[in-house]
Amino acid sequence: MPVYVDREAPKLWRKICSETTIEISLLAENWKIILGGIIFQYIHGLAAHGVHYLHQPGPLLQDSGYALIPELGEDKAYISETLFSFLFFSFVLWTFHPFVFQSKSFHTVLLWCRVLACLVVCQMLRIVTFYSTQLPGPNYHCREGSKLARLPRPESVVEVLLINFPRGMIYGCGDLIFSSHMIFTLLFVLTYHKYGTIRFIKQSAWLLAIIESLLIIASRKHYTVDVVVAWYTVNLVVFFINKKLPGYYSQLISFQYF
């Protein structure tokens, strides 16, 4: 075993260095897309925080999913977050596997260009949607009687811009249609389905996406419509970006570099 490690370690190091050189070159060409996608995550967070000021708690809306799926309870709300965190960090680690493994079907920078482009479009649609109509939040901290259901009028612009991170992100209200968790989940699953190589993981990822959808509803973090709209919106956005946009931008997202 020590001999094996001694012989393979330099090869692994050469692989990492080689991939790093290629990825840095691609990053130099596409850094504006990556940076723009990252900046928009703050804009999306700012919009979600802003709609909380407009939120008016009220009775829960009639929901078919609530009638069919038993409520987990406030003490078990962490289950859906745990599964989402597993999916999120597993995907992030997978996107960097070309640095280590010989087999690869994408460049990490170009993959993240695609993911961020799809993500930004979905989030733009989400912002327009939840600002169009504010629904009474079904989450426990958004219900009538909760001190977190309403935000006091901000005393300064800085208070709004800071978005009360991370508390403001965890205990937000009003940004319902459609589920942000499902945007990330479905986008990651669709990306792995297209560029991943292990069939069992693809099938398991879709199963976990379905389970995550049910857990979000059971945790009363979203109405069923928020999850349903996310399922078809994310799929349509990915299809549109891959197939319909002409020119350089479409080529970049469709990985014509390969």
Side-chain angles (χ1 to χ4, degrees):
M1 182 63 70
V3 175
Y4 174 80
V5 173
D6 288 340
R7 291 179 177 178
E8 291 299 321
K11 185 186 298 184
L12 175 60
W13 178 246
R14 287 196 299 270
K15 170 67 174 174
I16 294 174
C17 292
S18 174
E19 287 297 321
T20 300
T21 301
I22 295 173
E23 295 295 340
I24 289 176
S25 176
L26 290 171
L27 183 60
E29 296 177 9
N30 302 288
W31 66 270
K32 292 181 181 179
I33 297 176
I34 299 292
L35 181 60
I38 294 173
I39 291 175
F40 196 84
Q41 299 314 296
Y42 168 75
I43 296 174
H44 175 258
L46 184 62
H49 181 63
V51 81
H52 195 164
Y53 289 102
L54 305 176
H55 178 253
Q56 296 295 325
L60 292 182
L61 302 179
Q62 183 175 344
D63 189 287
S64 300
Y66 289 3
L68 296 173
I69 302 174
E71 186 173 354
L72 280 178
E74 190 172 4
D75 60 326
K76 295 184 178 62
Y78 69 90
I79 298 177
S80 66
E81 293 297 330
T82 301
L83 178 56
F84 175 77
S85 298
F86 171 75
L87 291 169
F88 184 94
F89 290 110
S90 296
F91 177 81
V92 171
L93 287 175
W94 169 74
T95 63
F96 287 93
H97 87 271
F99 285 84
V100 178
F101 297 97
Q102 294 297 327
S103 61
K104 74 174 191 176
S105 57
F106 59 85
H107 291 296
T108 300
V109 168
L110 298 183
L111 183 75
W112 276 108
C113 284
R114 176 188 185 277
V115 169
L116 288 171
C118 294
L119 181 61
V120 167
V121 173
C122 287
Q123 290 174 331
M124 289 174 65
L125 294 173
R126 182 173 188 261
I127 291 171
V128 172
T129 306
F130 65 62
Y131 268 102
S132 299
T133 302
Q134 289 85 48
L135 304 177
N139 211 334
Y140 301 101
H141 65 268
C142 298
R143 299 180 184 180
E144 289 184 294
S146 172
K147 296 180 180 179
L148 300 173
R150 289 188 177 92
L151 286 181
R153 185 180 180 88
E155 298 180 358
S156 66
V157 176
V158 175
E159 182 181 340
V160 178
L161 294 177
L162 291 177
I163 64 177
N164 193 21
F165 185 85
R167 186 179 180 85
M169 303 299 295
I170 299 173
Y171 295 103
C173 298
D175 57 326
L176 292 173
I177 301 176
F178 43 97
S179 170
S180 181
H181 280 59
M182 289 310 302
I183 291 177
F184 281 94
T185 298
L186 291 170
L187 182 53
F188 290 173
V189 171
L190 284 165
T191 302
Y192 185 83
H193 185 83
K194 185 175 181 65
Y195 298 103
T197 57
I198 303 176
R199 184 178 180 182
F200 173 74
I201 295 180
K202 293 182 181 182
Q203 295 172 339
S204 299
W206 282 113
L207 177 60
L208 290 177
I210 295 173
I211 293 174
E212 176 68 11
S213 301
L214 298 176
L215 286 174
I216 288 174
I217 298 171
S219 301
R220 303 304 189 251
K221 295 178 179 179
H222 278 277
Y223 292 109
T224 305
V225 66
D226 307 336
V227 175
V228 172
V229 171
W231 269 90
Y232 64 73
T233 301
V234 175
N235 278 278
L236 288 173
V237 166
V238 171
F239 172 81
F240 178 78
I241 289 181
N242 281 336
K243 303 295 183 182
K244 300 300 182 181
L245 290 183
Y248 169 79
Y249 187 66
S250 177
Q251 292 175 359
L252 172 63
I253 305 306
S254 298
F255 288 86
Q256 297 300 316
Y257 284 99
F258 298 150

